[in-house]
Amino acid sequence: GQHLHPPAAGRLFQFAPSYIGEEFHLPHVPHPEGKKIYLKTLSVEPKVFEIEGFFVEAEADDIVRRAKTEKSESHKLKRS
């Protein structure tokens, strides 16, 4: 089962994965095509998740296209 760790007052909620590959279904997040959206744990420490089903493919393609063509120095992709 999933573990629920309520945050202290003034802190933000964080999912608490137990293992890599653990998934958290997000029924409260609507999808334009009615698909399920869930988090898949890629790393427990630091916490890293892949958001499955968050974008439809056309939206994801548009985001990548915009990021690659951004000209503004303050907004374009850069190596960290």
Side-chain angles (χ1 to χ4, degrees):
Q2 295 180 355
H3 306 282
L4 183 62
H5 301 277
R11 303 279 311 226
L12 297 176
F13 172 80
Q14 291 186 23
F15 285 92
S18 299
Y19 57 90
I20 293 172
E22 184 174 11
E23 296 180 354
F24 298 91
H25 181 230
L26 306 176
H28 60 285
V29 181
H31 187 281
E33 296 176 355
K35 296 180 181 178
K36 291 182 179 180
I37 297 176
Y38 59 94
L39 298 179
K40 180 177 181 182
T41 306
L42 301 179
S43 172
V44 174
E45 188 59 42
K47 292 179 180 89
V48 178
F49 302 96
E50 179 177 356
I51 305 173
E52 294 281 344
F54 189 69
F55 297 114
V56 295
E57 191 168 341
E59 289 172 313
D61 290 344
D62 186 53
I63 290 168
V64 170
R65 180 190 58 75
R66 288 177 182 215
K68 287 181 174 179
T69 59
E70 178 61 54
K71 302 294 184 210
S72 169
E73 283 299 317
S74 62
H75 290 82
K76 73 180 188 177
L77 293 176
K78 300 173 187 158
R79 288 201 170 272
S80 58

